[in-house]
């Protein structure tokens, strides 16, 4: 029984070491996604700026970083790694990095939806897929689009707006006949003046 316990503890220790090693390797890859923030330290130390890791990354690189981030965050949730100082020291870094990455991806997705840029929508959604958070983001985007469409429809069919449009249309229509009648009424006046001028010229010729 004692031998069995030793083997069980040895197996658990080996499993923990593998997870810690995977954590260190994945964290190093995550920090090196942006070459400007790479320090060459496997555990990252405390000099790397987590926001700088995200800034300047293209959406495809952001998706790769999201994949590494999700793996690291999942290891933080592992109860067998609770209390390990190496993970505890990196927790603030990962928390800041996660917020920055999610914020950047969400802003990119919203901008792509506004501009209907399919080339940016796909990799932006890939970021949230890699983070295992795709469904809530898609539902949020759908809700936003529906709300915007509802508001645009309400403004378009607002009674005051329709009344203003009708008033402008009526005014424009009414001004067209007015101009025609004004033009028509001015024509006889011009014709009579021209006739009087011709009669005066004939009388002057006859007197000669």
């Amino acid at each position: 029984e004692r031998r069995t316990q030793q083997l069980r503890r040895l197996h658990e220790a080996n499993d923990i070491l593998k997870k810690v090693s995977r954590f260190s390797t994945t964290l190093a890859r995550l920090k090196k996604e942006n070459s400007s923030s790479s320090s060459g330290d496997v555990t990252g130390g405390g000099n790397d700026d987590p926001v700088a890791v995200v800034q300047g990354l293209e959406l495809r690189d952001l998706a790769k970083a999201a994949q590494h981030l999700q793996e690291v965050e999942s290891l933080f949730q592992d109860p067998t790694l609770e209390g390990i100082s190496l993970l505890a020291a990196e927790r603030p870094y990962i928390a800041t990095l996660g917020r920055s990455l999610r914020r950047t991806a969400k802003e990119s997705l919203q901008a792509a939806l506004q501009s209907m840029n399919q080339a940016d929508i796909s990799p932006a959604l890939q970021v949230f897929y890699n983070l295992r958070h795709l469904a809530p983001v898609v539902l949020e985007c759908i809700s936003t689009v529906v709300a915007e469409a509802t508001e645009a429809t309400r403004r378009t069919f607002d009674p005051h707006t329709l009344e203003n449009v009708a008033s402008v249309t009526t005014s424009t229509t009414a001004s067209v006949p007015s101009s025609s009648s004004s033009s028509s009424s001015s024509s006889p006046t011009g014709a009579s003046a021209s006739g009087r001028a011709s009669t005066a010229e004939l009388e002057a010729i006859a007197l000669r």
Side-chain angles (χ1 to χ4, degrees):
E1 183 179 353
R2 182 178 179 182
R3 180 64 175 173
T4 302
Q5 290 180 352
Q6 288 178 345
L7 291 175
R8 179 175 56 82
R9 291 172 182 173
L10 181 62
H11 176 74
E12 292 175 352
N14 183 55
D15 185 58
I16 291 174
L17 286 174
K18 287 181 179 179
K19 291 178 180 179
V20 171
S21 177
R22 183 157 59 94
F23 172 85
S24 299
T25 303
T26 306
L27 181 62
R29 291 174 182 171
L30 180 59
K31 291 185 176 183
K32 290 178 182 178
E33 286 297 333
N34 188 341
S35 58
S36 64
S37 65
S38 176
S39 64
D41 184 4
V42 174
T43 60
N47 298 324
D48 290 358
D49 181 7
V51 179
V53 176
V54 175
Q55 291 177 344
L57 288 178
E58 296 183 357
L59 281 174
R60 285 182 174 80
D61 295 328
L62 205 63
K64 294 178 183 178
Q67 188 173 7
H68 297 319
L69 177 65
Q70 194 280 328
E71 186 175 357
V72 170
E73 289 179 339
S74 66
L75 288 172
F76 275 125
Q77 303 301 320
D78 192 330
T80 62
L81 301 179
E82 188 70 28
I84 296 180
S85 59
L86 176 63
L87 276 70
E90 297 293 347
R91 189 178 292 274
Y93 176 91
I94 294 300
T96 304
L97 178 64
R99 287 192 298 269
S100 179
L101 190 146
R102 287 176 172 85
R103 182 174 61 252
T104 301
K106 190 172 183 179
E107 291 173 353
S108 300
L109 178 59
Q110 290 174 344
L113 289 173
Q114 289 291 335
S115 61
M116 299 299 291
N117 189 343
Q118 184 65 35
D120 287 343
I121 292 176
S122 296
L125 290 175
Q126 185 67 40
V127 172
F128 292 103
Y129 175 81
N130 291 344
L131 290 171
R132 307 294 188 268
H133 196 68
L134 180 61
V137 171
V138 171
L139 290 176
E140 182 180 351
C141 290
I142 293 174
S143 299
T144 301
V145 171
V146 170
E148 291 176 352
T150 302
E151 179 62 21
T153 304
R154 187 192 65 79
R155 289 198 304 267
T156 301
F157 293 99
D158 182 73
H160 297 291
T161 303
L162 294 175
E163 184 179 352
N164 293 334
V165 172
S167 299
V168 172
T169 304
T170 304
S171 300
T172 304
T173 306
S175 66
V176 174
S178 176
S179 300
S180 300
S181 61
S182 152
S183 177
S184 301
S185 63
S186 63
S187 293
T189 305
S192 62
S194 176
R196 285 196 298 271
S198 299
T199 303
E201 291 177 358
L202 292 174
E203 291 177 353
I205 292 173
L207 291 174
R208 292 177 187 173

